[in-house]
């Protein structure tokens, strides 16, 4: 879940809030113990395979999948960044996340069950596995895998931003002593790495129950209690409108938009649609989906996951509650930082014990997606780079071992990335990742329905979309810092309106792929071998007509 917020304003108290910190640490330790115990949950004879370690045995039912997907998609950064964007920049940058999640679920209702079925039939673990099987193209599969891997890396790093925001407001993480400043993050991610290594996807699936329960509790209490403390919703919306329509004395420009104007409609609409199309292209979203036990589990989740969208809408409004409350989000470095606005609001308005519960909800909210993302990135590397290009005859046990090790590496990379570089870099790269990942949509989703698109045309379209999207994003300059990759909006060619760069690149990708497919098909250029059949896309668990193949991807027995 992404927003367009930049690392702007937030606050912190003087000294350490020991009550809140104690509750945060206790709850953090509870979920850590749960993470290690998860290895005993539905324990198979062996965890030495990607099916078991990386997909939880493909055994999760409706409610486990619901909590897992909710914990995966609605991350700690979501709960920090969405209200921060509302607080600092208004509705275009913040509230678009709500309609985009509403649009998202009908889309996945249509195609995700087909991806589950064909993956169940052939033992696919990653979207790149499916692309390889569908088109018989190692090159196109590699393009999808590398894109997914690169797009996921900064997403993992951003989970640290959520934890850092909590630690700053609690009063931990400041000063020049690296032990005091960075040790809490080292400890948190060391524990995360340890129980993810041992328990695989079962760990975040179990922890997601605690994370989501805490999130629902905190937001429901906040949305009922806080408006009454600042004069009611009329005062909240009035304060937000005044802030968003009052020009900044220094720049002469309004800070954001209270309601998107006509000149912002293209930006709002393309952000919503593009984000909805992109979210389930991420490897971690597909990993959580493929872990479910039946294809109808996916459809049921598409029907009930909008409950999270409702909560997200309430959460977004807390950014405007913070405006009415006069929240001053100032980091331990003395600089304004909007990422801290929700933790600071809770610190200011609630008793310390409840603020500790809220902080724990955000911190634990970072663990679930970080674990799933690292597992998904590791599975992608192992299956589609290591096995496909480095060691084709790797056994299932070796695949699991490599994936476990890579999951440690990607967590370590994310930690180093955030600690050594400015947090704005992580945000910029995550925004760039959203542009990239959408370019894999044609190869994955269209491939679920037709092979009319040619494999080489899809590869060329992907490449052009990637280059155009990256170049356009590079040319967006942050007006404050002067740095490149300053946002995800640029003029749409031909209509001179601001729009989401990912959607413009996606349209260009589609045009190129469509034209070249028509040319290659007319020239009878080989479109590779398709190892799937029509019935694969409707297979379900226990269906006697379609036995599940566990030999490995691209190694199958004859279809019955």
């Amino acid at each position: 879940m992404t927003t367009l917020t930049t690392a702007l304003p937030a606050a912190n108290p003087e000294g350490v809030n020991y009550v809140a910190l104690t509750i945060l640490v206790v709850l953090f330790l509870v979920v850590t113990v749960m993470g290690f115990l998860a290895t005993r949950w539905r324990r198979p004879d062996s965890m030495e395979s990607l099916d078991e370690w990386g997909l939880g045995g493909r055994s999760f039912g409706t409610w486990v999948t619901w909590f897992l997907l909710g914990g995966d998609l609605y991350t700690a950064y979501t709960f920090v960044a969405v209200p921060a964007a509302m607080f600092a920049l208004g509705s275009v940058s913040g509230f678009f996340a709500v309609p985009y999640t509403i649009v998202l679920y009908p889309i996945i209702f249509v195609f995700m069950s087909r991806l589950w079925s064909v993956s169940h039939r052939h033992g696919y673990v990653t979207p790149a596995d499916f692309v390889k099987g569908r088109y018989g193209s190692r090159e196109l599969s590699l393009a999808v895998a590398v894109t997914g891997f690169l797009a996921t890396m900064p997403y993992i790093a951003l989970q640290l931003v959520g934890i850092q925001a909590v630690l700053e407001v609690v009063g931990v993480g400041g000063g020049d002593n690296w032990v005091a400043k960075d040790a809490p993050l080292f400890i948190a991610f060391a524990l995360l790495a340890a129980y993810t290594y041992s328990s695989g996807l079962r760990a975040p699936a179990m922890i997601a129950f605690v994370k989501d329960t805490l999130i629902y509790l905190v937001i429901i209490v906040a949305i009922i209690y806080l408006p009454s403390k600042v004069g009611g919703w009329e005062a909240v919306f009035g304060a937000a409108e005044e802030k968003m329509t009052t020009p900044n004395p220094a720049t002469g420009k309004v800070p954001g938009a209270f309601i998107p104007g006509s000149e912002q409609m293209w930006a709002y609409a393309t952000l919503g649609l593009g984000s909805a199309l992109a979210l389930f292209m991420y490897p971690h979203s597909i990993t959580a989906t493929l872990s479910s036990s039946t294809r109808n589990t996916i459809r049921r989740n598409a029907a009930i996951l909008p409950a999270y969208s409702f909560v997200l809408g309430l959460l977004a409004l807390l950014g405007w509650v913070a405006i009415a409350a006069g929240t001053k989000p100032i980091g331990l470095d003395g600089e304004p930082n909007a990422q801290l606005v929700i933790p600071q609001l809770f610190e200011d308005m609630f008793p310390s014990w409840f603020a500790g519960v809220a902080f724990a909800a955000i911190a634990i909210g970072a663990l679930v997606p970080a674990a799933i993302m690292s597992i998904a990135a590791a599975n992608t590397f192992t299956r589609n780079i290591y096995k496909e290009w480095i060691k084709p005859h790797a056994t299932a046990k070796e695949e699991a071992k490599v994936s476990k090790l890579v999951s440690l590496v990607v967590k370590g990379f994310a930690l180093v990335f955030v600690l050594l570089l400015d947090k704005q870099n992580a945000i910029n790269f995550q925004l760039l990742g959203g542009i990239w990942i959408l370019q894999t949509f044609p190869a994955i989703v269209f491939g679920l329905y037709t092979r009319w698109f040619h494999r080489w045309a899809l590869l060329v379209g992907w490449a052009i979309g990637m280059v155009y999207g990256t170049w356009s994003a590079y040319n967006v300059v942050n007006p404050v810092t002067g740095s490149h990759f300053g946002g995800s909006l640029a003029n749409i060619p031909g209509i001179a309106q601001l729009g989401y760069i990912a959607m413009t690149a996606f349209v260009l990708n589609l045009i190129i792929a469509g034209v070249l497919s028509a040319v290659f098909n007319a020239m009878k250029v080989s479109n590779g071998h398709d190892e799937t059949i029509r019935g694969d896309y409707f297979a379900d668990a226990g269906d006697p007509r379609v036995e599940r193949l566990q030999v490995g991807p691209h190694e199958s027995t004859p279809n019955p």
Side-chain angles (χ1 to χ4, degrees):
M1 190 72 60
T2 63
T3 70
L4 289 186
T5 186
T6 55
L8 296 168
N12 70 275
E14 295 182 0
V16 178
N17 186 332
Y18 288 103
V19 174
L21 180 61
T22 299
I23 293 175
L24 167 62
V25 170
V26 169
L27 289 175
F28 198 92
L29 290 176
V30 167
V31 298
T32 298
V33 172
M34 291 178 63
F36 284 109
L37 292 178
T39 190
R40 302 169 181 263
W41 182 36
R42 302 181 180 184
R43 185 176 180 85
D45 294 334
S46 173
M47 288 282 285
E48 301 301 321
S49 72
L50 292 188
D51 257 19
E52 291 297 341
W53 182 83
L55 291 179
R58 303 182 191 251
S59 62
F60 297 149
T62 299
W63 290 110
V64 175
T65 303
W66 186 70
F67 280 106
L68 183 63
L69 279 170
D72 181 22
L73 304 180
Y74 298 85
T75 70
Y77 184 66
T78 300
F79 291 108
V80 167
V82 169
M86 292 287 285
F87 175 86
L89 303 172
S91 59
V92 174
S93 295
F95 211 75
F96 87 92
V98 178
Y100 116 54
T101 59
I102 294 172
V103 171
L104 166 68
Y105 297 116
I107 294 174
I108 67 167
F109 183 91
V110 173
F111 76 82
M112 282 305 296
S113 59
R114 293 176 69 95
L115 180 60
W116 182 94
S117 290
V118 70
S119 299
H120 175 87
R121 174 70 174 89
H122 289 275
Y124 299 148
V125 174
T126 70
D129 278 350
F130 164 69
V131 170
K132 170 63 164 53
R134 181 61 155 159
Y135 295 100
S137 173
R138 299 175 72 207
E139 295 79 11
L140 184 59
S141 173
L142 180 64
V144 171
V146 170
T147 304
F149 187 86
L150 293 178
T152 302
M153 296 297 285
Y155 222 152
I156 301 172
L158 280 186
Q159 303 318 307
L160 287 171
V161 175
I163 297 180
Q164 283 182 320
V166 166
L167 293 176
E168 281 204 50
V169 172
V170 171
V172 177
D176 297 326
N177 187 322
W178 77 268
V179 175
K181 183 177 181 181
D182 299 330
L185 283 178
F186 275 107
I187 295 171
F189 261 59
L191 294 172
L192 170 66
Y195 64 66
T196 302
Y197 185 92
S198 65
S199 302
L201 195 65
R202 286 173 170 81
M206 180 175 285
I207 295 172
F209 285 93
V210 178
K211 175 255 186 185
D212 290 350
T213 299
L214 289 175
I215 288 292
Y216 271 88
L217 171 66
V218 168
I219 293 178
I220 290 173
V221 170
I223 210 70
I224 293 174
Y225 173 76
L226 291 180
S228 66
K229 302 294 289 185
V230 296
W233 285 109
E234 183 177 357
V236 169
F237 288 112
E241 182 175 18
E242 180 180 357
K243 176 179 179 178
M244 295 303 159
T245 56
T246 302
N248 186 316
T251 64
K253 297 181 180 180
V254 295
F258 178 67
I259 297 176
S262 58
E263 71 281 1
Q264 298 162 318
M265 289 301 181
W266 275 96
Y268 192 84
T270 55
L271 275 168
L273 179 58
S275 300
L277 294 176
L279 185 57
F280 268 79
M281 297 299 99
Y282 281 99
H284 62 272
S285 300
I286 292 178
T287 293
T289 301
L290 296 186
S291 69
S292 59
S293 58
T294 69
R295 66 183 268 124
N296 281 334
T297 298
I298 308 303
R299 293 187 170 186
R300 284 193 290 268
N301 269 273
I304 60 179
L305 275 168
Y308 282 96
S309 300
F310 174 71
V311 173
L312 182 63
L314 299 180
L315 176 73
L317 291 177
L318 291 181
W320 283 357
V321 171
I323 296 175
T327 303
K328 303 295 183 185
I330 307 298
L332 290 174
D333 58 1
E335 297 295 325
N337 178 6
Q339 304 294 333
L340 306 180
V341 70
I342 286 302
Q344 189 62 51
L345 176 67
F346 289 148
E347 167 92 350
D348 294 343
M349 304 294 286
F350 283 111
S352 293
W353 69 267
F354 190 82
V357 173
F359 297 159
I362 296 173
I364 294 169
L367 300 182
V368 175
I372 302 172
M373 290 170 189
S374 64
I375 290 170
N379 289 347
T380 298
F381 175 85
T382 302
R383 268 287 171 88
N384 308 118
I385 298 176
Y386 178 79
K387 182 167 185 175
E388 188 66 44
W389 295 89
I390 300 173
K391 195 170 182 181
H393 301 295
T395 64
K397 183 176 181 179
E398 186 176 351
E399 283 184 338
K401 182 178 180 180
V402 171
S403 199
K404 289 179 180 180
L405 293 174
V406 173
S407 74
L408 298 179
V409 172
V410 297
K411 291 187 191 73
F413 174 83
L415 186 61
V416 171
F417 188 91
V418 169
L419 294 180
L420 297 185
L421 298 177
D422 188 273
K423 285 191 282 288
Q424 187 60 43
N425 289 315
I427 296 171
N428 290 344
F429 279 113
Q430 199 280 330
L431 295 176
L432 186 60
I435 296 171
W436 288 346
I437 201 67
L438 184 54
Q439 308 317 310
T440 65
F441 188 96
I444 298 171
V445 178
F446 294 171
L448 292 170
Y449 294 91
T450 179
R451 288 190 84 245
W452 180 85
F453 284 92
H454 197 280
R455 55 178 176 164
W456 294 114
L458 288 168
L459 186 61
V460 173
W462 165 85
I464 291 176
M466 291 284 286
V467 171
Y468 174 85
T470 304
W471 179 250
S472 296
Y474 174 82
N475 287 329
V476 178
V477 178
N478 187 308
V480 177
T481 64
S483 60
H484 295 278
F485 298 109
S488 293
L489 297 176
N491 279 330
I492 302 172
I495 64 173
Q497 292 281 348
L498 279 179
Y500 187 25
I501 293 170
M503 279 300 291
T504 306
F506 176 66
V507 171
L508 182 61
N509 181 347
L510 283 184
I511 293 172
I512 297 297
V515 171
L516 290 181
S517 292
V519 172
F520 290 152
N521 290 336
M523 295 173 62
K524 307 289 188 193
V525 177
S526 173
N527 199 17
H529 170 69
D530 180 9
E531 70 178 21
T532 71
I533 61 171
R534 185 177 183 275
D536 293 343
Y537 298 89
F538 304 96
D540 204 351
D543 188 340
R545 297 171 301 170
V546 186
E547 296 180 3
R548 180 178 169 188
L549 304 181
Q550 289 302 316
V551 183
H554 327 308
E555 303 172 22
S556 60
T557 58
N559 290 307

